[in-house]
Amino acid sequence: MSWLRNPWARPRGLVIVTVLYILWSIVPVAIAILFAFNNGRSRTSWQGFSFRWYTGSAGSVLHDPALQGALKHTLILAVICVGIATPLGVALALGLQRWRGPGGGTINTVMLLPLVTPEIVMGVALLLLFLRVFPGIGLGTPAQAIGQVTFTLSYVVVIVRGRLTSIGREFEEAAADLGAPPRDQLRRVLLPMLAPAIVASAAVAFALSIDDFVVTQYLAGDSSTTTVSMLLYASARGAPTPALNALATVALVITMATLALALLVYRRFAGGREAAAVATLEV
Amino acid sequence: MQGEIRLEELTKTFGEAVAVDGIDLHMPPGEFFTLLGPSGCGKTTTLRMIAGFEQPTSGRILLDGTDVARVPPHKRNVNTVFQSYALFPHLDVAGNVAFGLKYQRLTKEDRRRKVKGILDLVRLGDFAERKPEQLSGGQQQRVALARALVLMPRVLLLDEPLGALDARLRKDLQVELKAIQSDLGVTFVFVTHDQEEALTMSDRVAVMNLGRVEQASSPREVYEEPRTTFVADFLGVSNLLDADATADGGACSLRIGERAFRAEQGETGSRGEVKAMIRPERIGIEAHGAAGDNRLPGMVERAVFLGGSHEVHVRVLGGELLKAMISNDGSPLPFALEEGTPVTLYLPPDGLRVLASSQEPESTADAAARPVRTAPSR
């Protein structure tokens, strides 16, 4: 066992633990994806490769109305969520960054609260809100969208503020110095410089929205407001077919592609260290 | 000619800290005016107030006779070269330079011509399509200069623009900056903590300390005829000694320790406790025992070889340490440059300066330690 104590040797113990962890976390997902391509109804025994659960004539993602509806609703919610959370979050980040009065620290903390609040607590709270305080909105798509915006907003603010802090004030000052009125300082200097962070935060919001289960479930209305994650949860214990795996795979691919794109954009235009920070947030 | 700045009772406080303490300055059109001082002395805050980034707590900023203290920066006809350059990273060199031209009513053709003209002036004609990150520090500095100068400001403000460059490049750019300033006739207000830079480039220098102007005059005057001990100390090397002044004909007799010295410079009318000041290069070192007035014995404590000269530290009778500079011109020395060599120092009357003691400000180190915010740190 001398290699375990040899300080110059590679830290094999750590390597083994790391590899085991990666296998443990990836293999089940990989198997689930694999069975999305199973040429049979089983989700446990392999019967050959096929795309039948994606494009087949019966019960596939493409042709089963329930799966189709869930996927469509998930994407619609994600687009609404990104469309609202991103501009709102950017505006909030700009406002908070330039906030000079008292109470700035408190507001910062409050902005971060949704990041640490257990989602189930937020879900219950939002449910009560829509049932008792704003019954006019009712449960369903608008409530789901508002709920998702509520917690994705914090991520947008955190990412954009991180970038803002590293930009500093002198670029705005330089723009003002060169004659740009405040509107142009924002439009011609700050927003272009923030673009990578804005793209990244939009992608994170998109991924969070697609992933979300708890809040979306609580605020769901009828069956037309079922999302992919809700459908997976509901039917996991029923009589599932590999079509569910296929649906999950589609959702996974969309999420991963979005995040990869965001990371790429961010890394292209901003420093590597910040990109790493964003990558950490995504998980 | 335009580009005259007059600061009247200009004051800026950040909470409890007084950054600029009621300064009055006049910068005539076309002058290369330098604000010199240690960090925290208020020079950058003063510049930022002229630019419009900070609002004065009180006082007036007159630009060609009009008070602009409440005019936002984008409406002031002054431009700034930032210490960090603040070039827009998403625009190329031409885009950076053309940024402000958008706000002047120009045809597209005029705009292009102006950008090209100014880039040629700063010798960056071939770099128009580069991004700032692809340029060296010196080139970035010149883009920042071009971006501000292309707008033909009445006054150009420069906030330690050479601070981030290495020594050699600094020297080159000092000459270049000065040449551009003379050619264009634009008023330059230049902020630096580098006394050499201030002396070589400026028409006039305002030495600042603790938010006040200690002295504002020509480079030769602030060096040769400092009015306060702070100025004497901050510019170059000075020997400062406690002395007691009495009348001596038209001049002044200074009692330093046990000896009397005749001083012909400075406030020779002062009486009582004063400071005596002499530059190292004005002190003569003679062989031990040399006779005559204005001389005192001492012992070499250290000799520092500086290349063109030797800086000799001499401990004189009474315990003070004086620094003397002797030129390394090949002439034989009547004494050995070794520790412990007894010598005689000659303090010529026309090199010995009387500074009134009452004007003594806090030392430089205290000023730097004071929590005065001059600009948001990056």
Side-chain angles (χ1 to χ4, degrees):
Chain A
M1 294 294 276
S2 69
W3 57 266
L4 261 183
R5 278 191 295 269
N6 181 357
W8 292 281
R10 287 177 55 199
R12 283 172 221 235
L14 296 180
V15 171
I16 290 166
V17 170
T18 310
V19 168
L20 280 178
Y21 170 71
I22 290 173
L23 287 178
W24 173 257
S25 57
I26 285 182
V27 166
V29 178
I31 291 173
I33 293 174
L34 182 69
F35 277 95
F37 297 96
N38 196 8
N39 190 13
R41 297 191 64 85
S42 171
R43 298 168 79 214
T44 45
S45 69
W46 185 247
Q47 287 152 289
F49 186 89
S50 98
F51 279 106
R52 62 178 280 200
W53 300 112
Y54 292 91
T55 54
S57 55
S60 71
V61 174
L62 197 65
H63 290 111
D64 184 303
L67 299 184
Q68 270 265 310
L71 192 58
K72 211 178 274 170
H73 186 62
T74 304
L75 290 175
I76 288 172
L77 268 185
V79 169
I80 296 174
C81 176
V82 168
I84 298 174
T86 313
L88 203 58
V90 171
L92 265 170
L94 286 168
L96 286 172
Q97 186 68 17
R98 303 300 179 236
W99 185 291
R100 285 185 164 182
T106 315
I107 289 174
N108 274 335
T109 316
V110 171
M111 279 314 301
L112 293 177
L113 270 183
L115 297 183
V116 292
T117 312
E119 224 195 317
I120 190 111
V121 174
M122 184 176 272
V124 172
L126 285 169
L127 180 65
L128 281 175
L129 187 77
F130 287 116
L131 286 180
R132 297 287 159 79
V133 187
F134 302 116
I137 297 176
L139 298 177
T141 311
Q144 284 176 317
I146 293 172
Q148 291 189 352
V149 166
T150 305
F151 75 90
T152 48
L153 194 64
S154 292
Y155 290 84
V156 176
V157 171
V158 167
I159 294 171
V160 174
R161 280 200 70 188
R163 179 85 183 123
L164 259 182
T165 310
S166 75
I167 288 176
R169 272 198 74 92
E170 77 254 25
F171 292 100
E172 277 166 277
E173 286 180 349
D177 191 71
L178 296 168
R183 176 174 40 87
D184 274 11
Q185 293 163 30
L186 187 68
R187 200 174 56 82
R188 294 185 69 197
V189 175
L190 219 46
L191 287 183
M193 289 182 75
L194 282 176
I198 294 173
V199 171
S201 64
V204 169
F206 189 80
L208 284 169
S209 165
I210 287 185
D211 262 6
D212 185 62
F213 172 69
V214 179
V215 166
T216 315
Q217 166 77 68
Y218 265 109
L219 303 177
D222 57 25
S223 65
S224 72
T225 58
T226 302
T227 63
V228 170
S229 56
M230 285 163 64
L231 190 70
L232 289 176
Y233 182 81
S235 43
R237 278 148 217 275
T241 66
L244 274 184
N245 295 44
L247 186 62
T249 305
V250 170
L252 183 75
V253 166
I254 293 173
T255 309
M256 297 296 275
T258 314
L259 290 179
L261 185 77
L263 201 61
L264 227 71
V265 169
Y266 202 83
R267 203 170 265 165
R268 171 72 184 76
F269 295 103
R273 202 173 351 141
E274 288 164 53
V278 172
T280 317
L281 264 180
E282 287 156 8
V283 184
Chain B
M1 200 167 169
Q2 287 188 320
E4 181 196 47
I5 287 185
R6 213 179 265 281
L7 307 180
E8 292 179 352
E9 285 288 313
L10 194 62
T11 302
K12 177 72 186 178
T13 56
F14 295 102
E16 291 286 293
V18 181
V20 176
D21 195 358
I23 62 172
D24 293 283
L25 279 176
H26 177 226
M27 306 160 187
E31 197 170 75
F32 196 121
F33 192 97
T34 297
L35 297 170
L36 173 69
S39 62
C41 73
K43 56 189 192 299
T44 298
T45 306
T46 305
L47 195 81
R48 289 173 59 80
M49 282 194 281
I50 300 174
F53 305 140
E54 305 282 357
Q55 276 217 347
T57 309
S58 64
R60 305 210 298 165
I61 301 167
L62 300 172
L63 174 62
D64 291 323
T66 318
D67 187 4
V68 295
R70 308 286 158 202
V71 177
H74 65 277
K75 290 183 180 160
R76 287 193 200 185
N77 201 353
V78 299
N79 289 115
T80 308
V81 175
F82 291 81
Q83 182 169 15
S84 57
Y85 314 140
L87 299 179
F88 305 126
H90 57 291
L91 300 176
D92 61 13
V93 168
N96 265 282
V97 173
F99 189 93
L101 289 175
K102 187 181 179 230
Y103 305 100
Q104 302 186 340
R105 290 174 201 291
L106 295 169
T107 64
K108 216 171 178 180
E109 185 49 41
D110 276 349
R111 219 181 290 170
R112 261 220 349 248
R113 208 167 29 76
K114 280 200 167 209
V115 170
K116 187 173 164 10
I118 200 80
L119 282 179
D120 287 341
L121 180 78
V122 298
R123 297 187 288 108
L124 283 174
D126 299 334
F127 294 83
E129 275 149 40
R130 298 269 189 102
K131 284 285 179 75
E133 65 191 15
Q134 296 170 305
L135 301 177
S136 71
Q139 289 167 339
Q140 289 184 19
Q141 209 277 330
R142 296 211 295 268
V143 176
L145 188 66
R147 185 175 71 173
L149 279 176
V150 75
L151 303 177
M152 289 294 175
R154 294 193 222 169
V155 178
L156 186 72
L157 309 170
L158 302 104
D159 184 9
E160 307 226 14
L162 308 178
L165 305 173
D166 62 67
R168 197 178 188 102
L169 203 55
R170 270 173 99 109
K171 285 253 180 338
D172 292 347
L173 278 166
Q174 280 176 19
V175 176
E176 209 168 309
L177 261 185
K178 179 68 189 167
I180 288 173
Q181 192 266 335
S182 317
D183 285 354
L184 300 180
V186 178
T187 313
F188 272 34
V189 181
F190 188 90
V191 159
T192 184
H193 64 267
D194 184 320
Q195 43 128 342
E196 193 196 318
E197 214 164 83
L199 294 180
T200 51
M201 302 170 79
S202 320
D203 295 316
R204 276 199 312 144
V205 179
V207 183
M208 291 186 69
N209 182 36
L210 300 176
R212 295 200 194 87
V213 175
E214 295 266 332
Q215 184 171 355
S217 42
S218 71
R220 196 199 60 78
E221 227 175 286
V222 285
Y223 186 82
E224 301 274 353
E225 297 166 27
R227 280 205 283 275
T228 67
T229 49
F230 177 82
V231 176
D233 214 28
F234 193 74
L235 283 119
V237 182
S238 296
N239 295 297
L240 286 166
L241 300 164
D242 290 319
D244 192 50
T246 51
D248 177 11
C252 177
S253 176
L254 294 176
R255 178 157 291 280
I256 303 172
E258 298 292 294
R259 286 158 192 268
F261 293 83
R262 190 179 153 81
E264 293 171 355
Q265 300 294 326
E267 298 178 40
T268 50
S270 306
R271 299 293 174 257
E273 263 182 45
V274 295
K275 287 273 183 192
M277 174 244 167
I278 187 165
R279 294 285 185 195
E281 61 270 24
R282 300 301 301 270
I283 297 183
I285 308 184
E286 298 168 349
H288 179 58
D293 289 339
N294 276 31
R295 284 176 168 77
L296 81 168
M299 197 177 271
V300 175
E301 195 162 289
R302 216 145 71 87
V304 184
F305 179 59
L306 297 177
S309 58
H310 298 272
E311 190 182 84
V312 186
H313 300 200
V314 178
R315 181 77 62 186
V316 297
L317 210 65
E320 307 262 19
L321 189 69
L322 294 189
K323 287 175 185 166
M325 200 75 85
I326 50 177
S327 175
N328 185 17
D329 56 6
S331 53
L333 298 172
F335 54 90
L337 277 178
E338 282 168 10
E339 193 186 323
T341 309
V343 292
T344 294
L345 296 185
Y346 173 51
L347 315 180
D350 63 349
L352 203 54
R353 198 168 180 80
V354 184
L355 300 173
S357 240
S358 58
Q359 285 179 322
E360 184 181 348
E362 290 171 53
S363 76
T364 319
D366 290 344
R370 235 173 66 137
V372 175
R373 209 191 63 162
T374 52
S377 53
R378 297 188 319 114

